Amino acid sequence: MKQRLVVVGAGMASGRMLEHVFEAAPDAFDVTLFNAEPRGNYNRLMLSPVLSGEKTYEDIVTHDGDWYAAHGVDCRFGEPVVRIDRANRVVYSNAGGVPYDRLVIATGSAPFILPVPGKDLPGVVTYRDLEDTEAMIAAGLAGRDAVVIGGGLLGLEAAAGMAARGAKVTVIHLMGHLMERQLDPAAGYLLQKDLERRGIRVHCKGATKAILGKGRVEAVLLEDGMVYPADIVCMAVGIRPEVRLANDAHLEVNRGVVVDDAMRTSDPAILALGECVEHDGQLFGLVAPLYDQAKVAARTLLGEEAAFRPVQTATKLKVTGCDLFSAGDFADGEGREDILFRDPGRGIYKRLVLQDNRILGVVMYGDTGDGAWFASLMKDGTDISPMRDTLIFGPAYQGGTAPDPLAAVAALPPEAEICGCNGVCKGRIVDAVLGGAVTLDAVRAETKASSSCGTCTGLVEQVMAATLGESFVKPAAQAMCKCTGMSHEDVRRLIHSMGLKSIPAVMQELGWKTVGGCHSCRPALNYYLISEWPLEYQDDRQSRLVNERNHANIQKDGTYSVVPRMWGGVTTPAELRAIADAAEKYAVPMVKVTGGQRIDLLGVRKEDLPAMWADLNAAGLVSGHAYSKGLRTVKTCVGSEFCRFGTQDSTGLGIRLEKLLWGSWTPHKVKLGVSGCPRNCAEATCKDVGVVCVDSGFQIGVAGAAGMELKETQLLATTPSADEAVEIITAFIQLYRESARYLDRPYKWVAKVGLDWVKSQVVEDPVMRRALCERFEISQSVYRRDPWAEHAAPTERAKWGPLADLTLEAAE
């Protein structure tokens, strides 16, 4: 006698399970198949081609009416199950009950909807099934603005499909790079480049604040204030198991319906499989493990022994013609090593993660032909020691040559600027070399390249080497770090010349030897990108050292010190009360006046920082940046206002300078002093920039120091005008920002480039000076803001606790 088998959900997993059941025992069950959708099984992986117009629904059907009829399946399509009566073994839809001997729950997953204002507006859709796909097609996409929220696989498929139908598509992704679960930052960067080449705009690190519109969606507003117009918004920010039916039936449910190895739920008569289940704490979204579950479930239904054993799944993805491959675990970890291959010209990136000479993970972009071979080595745990030297080149490798370190320079166009001081482009240098200038001095004499500040010297030598080939012996340059053979100056110049605007872009295009850089190069790259592209580059907080990440100085016991800013060293009774209140409220063990005329609150616990910031912000105080590679303090004396010897308003000038310069990131910390007379009570002659007021005006000195080394300032300029003094100082700071190596204090930088060259830029050339000031002001339009305020919001505070609560973060 046949058993009664009821299946809830006609997805790919349950469809494959029925195939196995009918193949093994065609007469074992009378099957009733419920599905909320008004249709049977189709290949959901092919929704993207349907959206783009390459295929139709009929092309992706896997089980048609004839198949169901041939196997005697009672199809209840468009008839969702509303209840399971486990005691009497009956499932109910709105049309009535159907008894079962065995029940299989395969309800799949549901799309996650961001709880933002406007989420229910007409024009906001998800991307999960054929109805979603048809809704996007029906919207008439040609020439319309479409926004996809979510840069995972589903979101990118939706973006590609809508773009193929003529929509102007923008992808907004919360994380720093696309498909962060499958790809590392370098591969994510290449994917973004490919998408942008296809006309799809990508905005990473974009947090959706609201969907705007009156009666219908009109735009998407991000937390950073950016607004993207939208005629349609596709929400593709993640999925979660559809467990409502199982919950109502009082089956064991965690994140998904809990099943054992045989796919049985907590009720032995009921099985579950697919995206709705949780096995050994794991959820599943890729089709390969779902098909394995289907095979096990079929054998369990037939009374055979079977066990589901998840294996690491190698995934070869095809997103809008972009070749991707990822498998295994490619996160950083102790004892892990990387083998990298980058070919910037062809957009190829390969990375193998090794531990104990065995492959743990693989990420490939652009050339994925050897992916299956790598995955096989990983699955088998093969010891790769004998082939380690050539492993990255794949099974067919028969030899090879070392990557060309000059490839990036050779790829520069002739008009690419090499020497910014003298406006010399690559083509001019190449012409000079071909004309007989085969030494650096000859090139300098011929073109003036490298003859001013000298920061482009390494790059000029590389252009010569690329032009002369083996006949040029390139002197070894001091590399930035072990991750690259290039110097700081070369990297800065190439960031500008090649228009590189992210850390992954720099690492990929300049052939970084490591996956994600190191503690030395990442902060430097982050600074160089901020300095070069202040309006476009988004600061990477994770690439900052701990003090800058937490906006406070970490102390030897793990607590922090907090230093509110007091402009020019001047404060008020109200500010002092606010500081005192904060010290009492958070039990600050020490309150100390610093040498820079500020109050230091020492011994603050990390978890108290956000609340303390909020209190100090509320009192009008902003961060003193005492932790930063940026402006620290402007120390002043009381000057002509109170001092009998003061010649100028040194206090006012100090406050003016501090309010102008605060917030700017610089290669190293910068300290200023303004003294009202040559008695120099503000100690201005040992600062990075010091002003000594005299009867005739202002003497501006630079490149002083009073730390590990003692340096007296050198006279940069004397001017009768306070306005001109401010302009010269601003231009000096900007020139330092633009041309110094990261972690070089101004005195080290001036020693390298020469004070005469600095004077020629910021004192003797008023046009250059104003241009420097304008560029400084542009950068400050972004960065003259208090970083404390960003993290003081109540919603951010949980992240600063001893253990961060990540449970409320949506999956991407």
Side-chain angles (χ1 to χ4, degrees):
M1 182 177 175
K2 289 185 178 182
Q3 293 191 74
R4 295 166 297 185
L5 172 63
V6 172
V7 181
V8 183
M12 296 174 69
S14 66
R16 181 59 62 93
M17 179 199 72
L18 288 176
E19 288 178 8
H20 289 307
V21 168
F22 292 141
E23 286 170 6
D27 299 321
F29 295 99
D30 282 326
V31 179
T32 302
L33 177 60
F34 285 93
N35 198 23
E37 287 188 66
R39 60 187 66 83
N41 192 267
Y42 58 92
N43 187 348
R44 292 170 191 270
L45 303 181
M46 301 306 288
L47 284 176
S48 180
V50 174
L51 177 58
S52 65
E54 300 169 48
K55 291 183 180 295
T56 65
Y57 165 67
E58 288 72 23
D59 295 329
I60 66 172
V61 170
T62 57
H63 300 82
D64 57 16
D66 292 342
W67 188 88
Y68 292 120
H71 295 90
V73 178
D74 178 14
C75 298
R76 302 292 188 91
F77 298 152
E79 187 178 331
V81 170
V82 296
R83 184 166 68 89
I84 299 172
D85 180 351
R86 288 170 52 197
N88 297 300
R89 295 194 175 185
V90 179
V91 298
Y92 288 91
S93 72
N94 288 332
V98 175
Y100 66 86
D101 298 307
R102 309 297 297 275
L103 173 64
V104 175
I105 297 176
T107 45
S109 58
F112 182 82
I113 306 295
L114 291 178
V116 296
K119 65 181 176 57
D120 296 321
L121 282 170
V124 179
V125 299
T126 56
Y127 185 47
R128 191 67 190 148
D129 55 27
L130 189 65
E131 269 69 31
D132 297 331
T133 306
E134 291 178 338
M136 284 189 270
I137 296 172
L141 294 167
R144 311 288 294 275
D145 289 306
V147 171
V148 177
I149 302 174
L153 179 59
L154 267 183
L156 297 185
E157 286 184 347
M162 289 195 284
R165 288 189 178 266
K168 294 175 285 186
V169 181
T170 300
V171 175
I172 296 169
H173 191 50
L174 181 64
M175 308 305 287
H177 67 273
L178 298 171
M179 292 182 64
E180 75 283 352
R181 287 191 169 187
Q182 290 85 12
L183 303 177
D184 62 11
Y189 158 73
L190 288 173
L191 173 60
Q192 180 172 337
K193 264 183 67 174
D194 265 358
L195 293 173
E196 290 173 342
R197 197 178 298 126
R198 290 166 165 79
I200 297 174
R201 181 163 48 186
V202 177
H203 184 133
C204 288
K205 295 185 180 178
T208 303
K209 185 175 185 179
I211 299 172
L212 310 178
K214 295 179 179 177
R216 183 176 174 79
V217 61
E218 296 175 5
V220 175
L221 170 66
L222 304 189
E223 293 283 359
D224 61 10
M226 181 70 76
V227 176
Y228 288 106
D231 298 302
I232 185 169
V233 173
C234 177
M235 196 93 76
V237 293
I239 57 175
R240 54 187 172 194
E242 179 54 85
V243 297
R244 288 174 291 182
L245 198 61
N247 260 327
D248 292 344
H250 301 294
L251 295 171
E252 184 181 355
V253 175
N254 290 329
R255 290 185 298 162
V257 183
V258 176
V259 296
D260 62 13
D261 291 350
M263 308 311 296
R264 286 186 294 256
T265 68
S266 54
D267 181 339
I270 302 177
L271 280 64
L273 79 164
E275 292 178 340
C276 66
V277 308
E278 176 180 327
H279 174 270
D280 199 20
Q282 267 190 282
L283 302 176
F284 304 89
L286 300 176
V287 72
L290 302 192
Y291 281 171
D292 289 342
Q293 293 175 9
K295 190 180 298 182
V296 172
R299 294 184 63 181
T300 301
L301 287 172
L302 295 171
E304 301 174 6
E305 292 292 326
F308 174 56
R309 294 282 184 264
V311 296
Q312 286 190 334
T313 305
T315 308
K316 190 175 189 309
L317 307 172
K318 197 80 172 175
V319 180
T320 66
C322 310
D323 281 333
L324 308 168
F325 181 93
S326 74
D329 180 0
F330 50 84
D332 294 332
E334 188 175 350
R336 295 185 177 184
E337 305 168 278
D338 292 292
I339 298 179
L340 278 184
F341 175 85
R342 300 180 193 255
D343 186 338
R346 292 190 297 153
I348 292 175
Y349 171 81
K350 301 179 183 181
R351 176 187 171 200
L352 303 177
V353 182
L354 308 178
Q355 188 164 31
D356 299 330
N357 283 317
R358 287 172 172 77
I359 298 177
L360 290 184
V362 186
V363 182
M364 306 172 74
Y365 191 95
D367 178 4
T368 59
D370 296 329
W373 182 69
F374 288 127
S376 174
L377 296 179
M378 179 178 70
K379 183 178 178 182
D380 297 341
T382 304
D383 185 347
I384 53 83
S385 303
M387 52 185 164
R388 181 171 177 134
D389 289 348
T390 58
L391 180 66
I392 195 70
F393 301 108
Y397 179 70
Q398 297 298 318
T401 57
D404 182 1
L406 299 177
V409 174
L412 288 175
E415 61 273 16
E417 186 179 80
I418 301 297
C419 176
C421 299
N422 296 290
V424 183
C425 64
K426 175 187 171 184
R428 178 76 181 91
I429 297 171
V430 171
D431 290 344
V433 172
L434 296 177
V438 295
T439 65
L440 181 61
D441 287 341
V443 170
R444 283 174 175 160
E446 181 76 18
T447 68
K448 294 190 181 304
S450 175
S451 63
S452 295
C453 75
T455 56
C456 65
T457 299
L459 202 52
V460 172
E461 290 172 340
Q462 289 188 27
V463 173
M464 296 176 67
T467 306
L468 292 170
E470 295 180 355
S471 61
F472 178 80
V473 180
K474 181 180 178 297
Q478 183 180 359
M480 190 170 172
C481 65
K482 62 180 174 56
C483 304
T484 177
M486 294 185 177
S487 67
H488 283 261
E489 290 78 9
D490 291 347
V491 171
R492 291 203 75 166
R493 190 68 63 188
L494 289 169
I495 285 173
H496 174 81
S497 300
M498 300 175 70
L500 306 176
K501 297 180 181 177
S502 69
I503 290 176
V506 173
M507 292 181 176
Q508 173 62 26
E509 301 296 349
L510 303 188
W512 235 243
K513 299 174 186 174
T514 55
V515 177
C518 66
H519 69 282
S520 178
C521 63
R522 285 194 72 91
L525 291 179
N526 191 46
Y527 170 73
Y528 293 152
L529 289 162
I530 281 176
S531 174
E532 187 65 42
W533 315 108
L535 300 182
E536 298 167 83
Y537 175 71
Q538 295 186 40
D539 179 35
D540 182 4
R541 184 166 174 260
Q542 294 306 315
S543 293
R544 293 193 175 279
L545 304 177
V546 61
N547 286 347
E548 291 191 334
R549 282 203 306 275
N550 295 332
H551 310 303
N553 282 333
I554 193 167
Q555 305 299 318
K556 59 187 292 184
D557 61 354
T559 62
Y560 288 81
S561 69
V562 168
V563 185
R565 190 171 291 284
M566 298 192 303
W567 308 104
V570 175
T571 187
T572 66
E575 289 180 348
L576 290 173
R577 272 195 291 272
I579 293 172
D581 288 345
E584 281 191 345
K585 182 176 179 180
Y586 299 102
V588 171
M590 177 179 281
V591 180
K592 190 177 188 310
V593 177
T594 73
Q597 300 178 331
R598 308 302 145 93
I599 294 176
D600 196 350
L601 304 172
L602 289 148
V604 180
R605 298 184 306 169
K606 183 182 176 185
E607 54 266 36
D608 287 337
L609 289 174
M612 178 179 277
W613 295 338
D615 290 351
L616 294 171
N617 280 161
L621 290 158
V622 299
S623 167
H625 287 68
Y627 49 82
S628 72
K629 306 292 183 285
L631 176 69
R632 296 291 178 88
T633 58
V634 181
K635 188 174 182 178
T636 66
C637 66
V638 295
S640 59
E641 190 171 1
F642 290 98
C643 178
R644 290 177 295 146
F645 306 104
T647 63
Q648 310 284 350
D649 180 13
S650 57
T651 308
L653 180 59
I655 293 172
R656 181 180 173 184
L657 285 168
E658 187 158 351
K659 289 190 172 180
L660 176 72
L661 302 174
W662 82 290
S664 63
W665 298 104
T666 48
H668 208 301
K669 63 184 177 183
V670 174
K671 296 181 177 180
L672 274 68
V674 183
S675 292
C677 76
R679 289 170 178 77
N680 195 20
C681 293
E683 301 166 332
T685 52
C686 61
K687 302 297 184 186
D688 297 296
V689 179
V691 180
V692 177
C693 302
V694 294
D695 288 334
S696 59
F698 307 87
Q699 296 175 346
I700 303 170
V702 296
M708 296 290 288
E709 293 186 65
L710 291 175
K711 299 283 183 184
E712 185 180 358
T713 53
Q714 304 173 60
L715 182 63
L716 178 68
T718 299
T719 173
S721 162
D723 289 343
E724 188 173 66
V726 170
E727 188 176 84
I728 290 172
I729 291 169
T730 305
F732 173 81
I733 295 294
Q734 180 64 12
L735 190 64
Y736 168 59
R737 296 180 75 237
E738 292 182 353
S739 53
R741 283 186 178 193
Y742 187 69
L743 296 186
D744 269 359
R745 287 285 296 271
Y747 74 89
K748 289 186 176 178
W749 166 67
V750 170
K752 288 179 182 176
V753 302
L755 185 62
D756 289 343
W757 178 75
V758 175
K759 286 181 178 177
S760 71
Q761 302 294 299
V762 305
V763 181
E764 297 161 3
D765 187 343
V767 175
M768 174 66 75
R769 184 168 69 229
R770 283 193 291 274
L772 286 165
C773 291
E774 287 171 5
R775 293 202 291 275
F776 179 79
E777 191 53 38
I778 288 172
S779 74
Q780 290 301 79
S781 68
V782 178
Y783 289 105
R784 192 183 286 132
R785 65 187 184 194
D786 186 7
W788 287 1
E790 179 184 349
H791 299 288
T795 54
E796 293 288 306
R797 295 182 186 180
K799 298 177 182 175
W800 297 81
L803 281 176
D805 180 4
L806 304 176
T807 57
L808 299 180
E809 292 195 0
E812 279 288 325

